[in-house]
Amino acid sequence: MPEARPTPSPTIGPSPERPPAAATGRRTAFAWTEAEAHRRAEAGLVRRLRPRPAESDLLDLASNDYLGLTRRPEVTEAAAEAARRWGAGATGSRLVTGTTRLHTRLERELAEFCGFEAALVFSSGYAANLAVLTALGGPDALIVSDAANHASIVDGCRLARAETAVVPHADPEAVRKTLEAHPGRRALAVSDSVFSVDGDRAPLEELAAACREHGAGIVLDDAHGFGVLGVGGRGAPRGAGLAGDEDVVATLTLSKSLGSQGGAVLGPARVIEHLVNTARTFIFDTGLAPAAAGGALASLRLIAAEPNLAARARTVAASLHGLLTGAGFTSARPDAAVVSVRAPGPEEALRWAADCREQGLSVGCFRPPSVPDGVSRLRLTARADLTDAEIDRAVATIVRTAPPGAR
């Protein structure tokens, strides 16, 4: 029997059949990323993924689970049942095989709950914002955008191929003047309803008045308002008396107050029909997974049945803000469920969040370039299911771990 030959060891270095990598440029094509990594490290802006376990003893004030519905048995069972019945994935784009009865039922109930004529569900809130701005924008349009708008709005403006005017934060008069400077132009103004950094509410009534003087459309990203603001959590547009108006379109996520995943656009039926036919993030994207649609639908029905959830989230936010400012920290008054605490700098914010985590509290950490004003912060989520004892524990941990200069 012939002697078995040893398995060749892996070749280290270039194969003799191929030219050296340096000769083809493969080894240097992305070398520039090392310089970028060094620059981020020097600025204290390195971001890292931190996989979380399924179960944790950490007190969670970092997630966007505003109403505490992600783990409600009614929601998780609805998601599981949807997966068992419809499959793990949507199997295709919404216009091919990706629309189930769950999707259309969710759209119908979302529109009814929020007070709009129609709704359209997307795979994410990011995709929903891109869809609206690209489908309603275009080379002949003007988009007026708040300086503190979310990155998805910024990217949507860029992709819309429209002229975009960025105006000072929460300044309806600046919107009015910008529209005045472009008479007769097809235009729309876009704003978060609640801004994700400091949790402040946009002046929606004044913004709408400025737009209506010039016939401009109004696009409101209600990701942080839906489920928390408005009667029973029906959203900021509903609370401001704008829901259902012919010149108003709203977007929202299913991943915050509904504790699921996905996004939606709400507005006049003719706008929704236009998106179905023109929005690339709808036409060419795989539909939302049935489990996410089923979970979101169950959460929506829970919010309708338990309107106190929205009020409780606002109460928790007010309590956190009052205790933190009473302890000497700088914190913007929250209008919804986002509470921020200013930090001396990016490295201090990162260390502060890490120290909180070591002591059993999970908090968010916002640093440049995520914050438009360049001020680093801890970001806290005022969840509706937090107890008063947990609120006190969270504040005590933040006080105990505060870096020098934080107050």
Side-chain angles (χ1 to χ4, degrees):
M1 185 172 182
E3 182 178 346
R5 296 183 180 180
T7 303
S9 60
T11 302
I12 300 176
S15 167
E17 292 83 13
R18 297 180 180 178
T24 65
R26 292 197 304 273
R27 189 169 292 173
T28 59
F30 300 114
W32 60 270
T33 62
E34 296 180 8
E36 289 293 299
H38 181 69
R39 178 187 60 79
R40 286 192 296 271
E42 284 190 330
L45 300 177
V46 175
R47 290 164 171 79
R48 292 184 174 86
L49 296 174
R50 184 187 290 114
R52 64 176 176 85
E55 303 291 339
S56 174
D57 293 330
L58 289 173
L59 177 57
D60 175 24
L61 268 72
S63 74
N64 288 321
D65 187 17
Y66 293 143
L67 303 183
L69 297 180
T70 296
R71 291 181 178 271
R72 279 281 292 262
E74 302 96 316
V75 176
T76 56
E77 179 54 34
E81 174 58 26
R84 285 191 291 266
R85 182 175 183 186
W86 298 100
T91 76
S93 69
R94 289 287 309 273
L95 289 170
V96 183
T97 59
T99 295
T100 69
R101 292 176 184 173
L102 274 177
H103 292 84
T104 56
R105 197 175 304 144
L106 175 59
E107 287 164 345
R108 183 173 64 251
E109 295 191 24
L110 267 175
E112 181 180 352
F113 182 77
C114 296
F116 286 85
E117 187 177 9
L120 191 65
V121 166
F122 288 76
S123 60
S124 72
Y126 211 109
N129 275 341
L130 295 186
V132 168
L133 293 169
T134 55
L136 299 182
D140 298 329
L142 170 70
I143 300 177
V144 185
S145 178
D146 190 291
N149 277 340
H150 188 263
S152 58
I153 296 177
V154 175
D155 287 351
C157 291
R158 291 169 176 166
L159 291 172
R161 297 176 295 122
E163 179 182 351
T164 299
V166 178
V167 295
H169 176 51
D171 189 344
E173 186 58 30
V175 174
R176 179 179 287 107
K177 290 180 177 178
T178 302
L179 293 172
E180 284 177 355
H182 298 80
R185 188 89 171 268
R186 178 163 64 88
L188 58 88
V190 58
S191 176
D192 285 333
S193 64
V194 175
F195 294 91
S196 62
V197 175
D198 278 332
D200 55 317
R201 175 182 174 275
L204 300 185
E205 297 89 342
E206 295 86 349
L207 175 64
C211 289
R212 286 167 176 170
E213 287 181 19
H214 302 279
I218 305 158
V219 176
L220 303 174
D221 179 352
D222 202 33
H224 299 279
F226 172 66
V228 179
L229 298 182
V231 177
R234 285 170 169 77
R238 183 77 173 262
L242 301 176
D245 289 352
E246 281 295 309
D247 57 351
V248 177
V249 174
T251 64
L252 52 82
T253 70
L254 313 180
S255 60
K256 294 179 172 59
S257 287
L258 293 184
S260 183
Q261 187 170 359
V265 178
L266 301 92
R270 62 184 178 184
V271 171
I272 299 304
E273 191 271 343
H274 180 69
L275 295 182
V276 169
N277 284 276
T278 64
R280 294 171 67 85
T281 56
F282 180 81
I283 297 170
F284 297 105
D285 192 19
T286 298
L288 183 68
L297 183 58
S299 288
L300 182 63
R301 292 171 175 173
L302 281 173
I303 295 175
E306 301 178 22
N308 60 304
L309 287 171
R312 176 58 184 171
R314 296 194 301 269
T315 297
V316 172
S319 296
L320 285 168
H321 174 264
L323 292 169
L324 290 165
T325 54
F329 298 106
T330 299
S331 174
R333 183 177 298 279
D335 289 323
V338 175
V339 181
S340 69
V341 185
R342 294 204 169 196
E347 292 183 2
E348 292 87 347
L350 195 63
R351 182 71 260 168
W352 197 359
D355 289 344
C356 284
R357 186 177 184 85
E358 288 179 4
Q359 299 200 24
L361 173 66
S362 178
V363 298
C365 177
F366 275 24
R367 299 169 291 153
S370 299
V371 285
D373 59 3
V375 178
S376 297
R377 298 163 171 84
L378 296 188
R379 182 184 181 276
L380 317 179
T381 299
R383 293 199 337 264
D385 59 340
L386 289 176
T387 65
D388 290 344
E390 288 173 327
I391 294 170
D392 291 338
R393 174 186 158 194
V395 171
T397 303
I398 291 169
V399 170
R400 187 167 56 248
T401 56
R407 49 180 174 160

